[in-house]
Amino acid sequence: MTPGQEGAAPGQEALALLEQTRILVDPQLRAAVDSLPGSIRRVARYHFGWQQPDGTPSTGRAGKAIRPALVLAAARALGGDPRQAVRAAVAVELAHNFTLLHDDVIDEDRTRRHRPTAWAVFGVPDAIVAGDAMLALSQRLLSEDTGPTGARASARLSNCVIELCAGQQADCAFEDRGPEDVSLDECLAMATAKTGALLGCACALGALYAGAGERAVGAMDGFGREAGLAFQLIDDLIGIWGDPERTGKPVGADLAAHKKSLPVVAALSSGTPAAAELAALYRGSMSTSDEVRRAADAVDRAGGRDWAQMGAADRMARAVHHLARAVPDLARAGDLLTLAEFVTRRTH
């Protein structure tokens, strides 16, 4: 636990950690983005919330900084100096935002962080190119570390990005399959690749920059992957039942888009009358608020909501098991546990 956090509520502890992460990471993140060519830099700075479409400054923030915080917390848990891992934290955040820019295009989402997405403002080509540039920039940062850790970190991040691209491709492919043609195992594998891989990579990079051995690095990766799957389960619940005032997206947005999220696939696999009702709705247009409401109710009655909530708790228990392999004295990993609890107890 970082100094000054004793006695604080868990949510307050996590917010303090995220703020400390921004203080360390934001200057290097901004410097990295500002090294991009002018037209690409404009899109990237808008996406991060730093400026308006016309280039004037904005007070928006570049997301919650959860993944950079995990990098620094993992380094700290293994006895490293978090400041030595800032470059890796910036690289992970750039890679994450590459996925967000592309996801928004693929999903045709017009809103992120309570304002229009980059593609909705600048067009699809500019948003895609900005995402590509961010991914290349993340690798350039790691390659500039000429020591052995930089090469290992770069290889691990590259493998992670390939894995999460495979997860994204699977997610898209699910949309072309019937509502009862996607198995729960397939859906879990997709979510692990699409979300768990990057959180695992973040924790592993922190371990690398702490000088940890391969066993501890692998255990940290396992912690992040399981925490990432718990995160995705909660995120999928929010995608159905989240408050639009807090999520910035319409109620039931994932249902309206016919997404085969984890609670939905669990519900469809239940063999209940509610599952059949949900499948029928998914075969239709789901174009009205009443249909979306009925679909959400069917997911609930078919057990999808309860299954996802219990699954998130189970995945966090697995995450802690992995963490204990790397850090037997879990008191040293308090920051990691605080962040994991924060992201899996969200309601928006």
Side-chain angles (χ1 to χ4, degrees):
M1 185 178 296
T2 49
Q5 290 181 355
E6 295 84 356
Q12 293 175 327
E13 290 179 17
L15 292 173
L17 283 169
L18 295 174
E19 185 59 34
Q20 291 161 10
T21 296
R22 291 189 191 96
I23 291 170
L24 282 174
V25 170
D26 275 8
Q28 290 196 35
L29 178 62
R30 285 177 179 264
V33 170
D34 285 346
S35 73
L36 294 170
S39 57
I40 296 175
R41 180 171 66 245
R42 180 185 177 196
V43 178
R45 288 182 61 84
Y46 171 82
H47 168 76
F48 277 114
W50 300 333
Q51 68 181 39
Q52 303 290 354
D54 62 4
T56 56
S58 173
T59 57
R61 281 189 163 177
K64 294 184 176 68
I66 289 167
R67 289 155 189 83
L70 287 171
V71 175
L72 303 187
R76 190 181 300 113
L78 288 163
D81 181 353
R83 291 172 295 183
Q84 300 300 314
V86 169
R87 181 190 300 269
V90 173
V92 166
E93 187 69 349
L94 287 167
H96 172 55
N97 280 275
F98 142 75
T99 69
L100 297 183
L101 280 161
H102 284 209
D103 281 359
D104 287 342
V105 171
I106 292 169
D107 296 338
E108 298 182 349
D109 283 339
R110 303 191 69 89
T111 304
R112 180 174 292 280
R113 298 167 186 155
H114 301 279
R115 66 178 191 159
T117 48
W119 75 265
V121 174
F122 299 100
V124 169
D126 279 0
I128 290 176
V129 169
D132 293 343
M134 281 189 203
L135 179 58
L137 186 57
S138 71
Q139 287 292 351
R140 188 176 79 186
L141 282 175
L142 294 177
S143 70
E144 289 170 351
D145 180 352
T146 55
T149 303
R152 292 172 67 196
S154 178
R156 187 170 279 273
L157 182 59
S158 294
N159 288 333
C160 167
V161 171
I162 292 170
E163 184 178 357
L164 67 85
C165 285
Q168 177 64 58
Q169 191 278 331
D171 192 20
C172 293
F174 289 172
E175 294 183 21
D176 295 326
R177 293 164 62 178
E180 296 162 308
D181 295 338
V182 176
S183 73
L184 198 49
D185 284 346
E186 286 180 296
C187 199
L188 285 165
M190 177 275 293
T192 300
K194 186 177 174 181
T195 303
L198 190 55
L199 270 71
C201 182
C203 296
L205 292 189
L208 282 174
Y209 276 89
E214 197 55 43
R215 182 177 183 275
V217 172
M220 280 294 191
D221 182 85
F223 166 78
R225 282 175 179 270
E226 295 292 353
L229 193 47
F231 172 95
Q232 187 61 58
L233 284 158
I234 298 301
D235 202 57
D236 285 351
L237 289 171
I238 292 169
I240 299 174
W241 290 286
D243 180 357
E245 291 295 319
R246 308 183 80 173
T247 65
K249 295 184 178 183
V251 65
D254 285 358
L255 295 173
H258 291 72
K259 275 195 165 293
K260 296 181 180 69
S261 63
L262 286 161
V264 167
V265 174
L268 288 168
S269 305
S270 67
T272 62
E277 180 182 338
L278 181 62
L281 286 164
Y282 257 64
R283 293 190 191 97
S285 63
M286 203 103 69
S287 57
T288 69
S289 59
D290 180 63
E291 287 175 316
V292 171
R293 181 193 59 76
R294 286 165 52 206
D297 181 60
V299 174
D300 197 359
R301 286 185 288 111
R305 189 175 195 165
D306 288 344
W307 176 88
Q309 290 171 336
M310 289 187 294
D314 175 64
R315 294 293 171 169
M316 272 310 305
R318 298 187 194 193
V320 172
H321 177 74
H322 283 290
L323 182 59
R325 291 171 50 221
V327 189
D329 180 6
L330 287 177
R332 291 170 46 203
D335 290 351
L336 279 173
L337 293 170
T338 294
L339 291 167
E341 181 180 19
F342 177 73
V343 300
T344 55
R345 290 182 180 268
R346 299 171 304 141
T347 58
H348 66 279

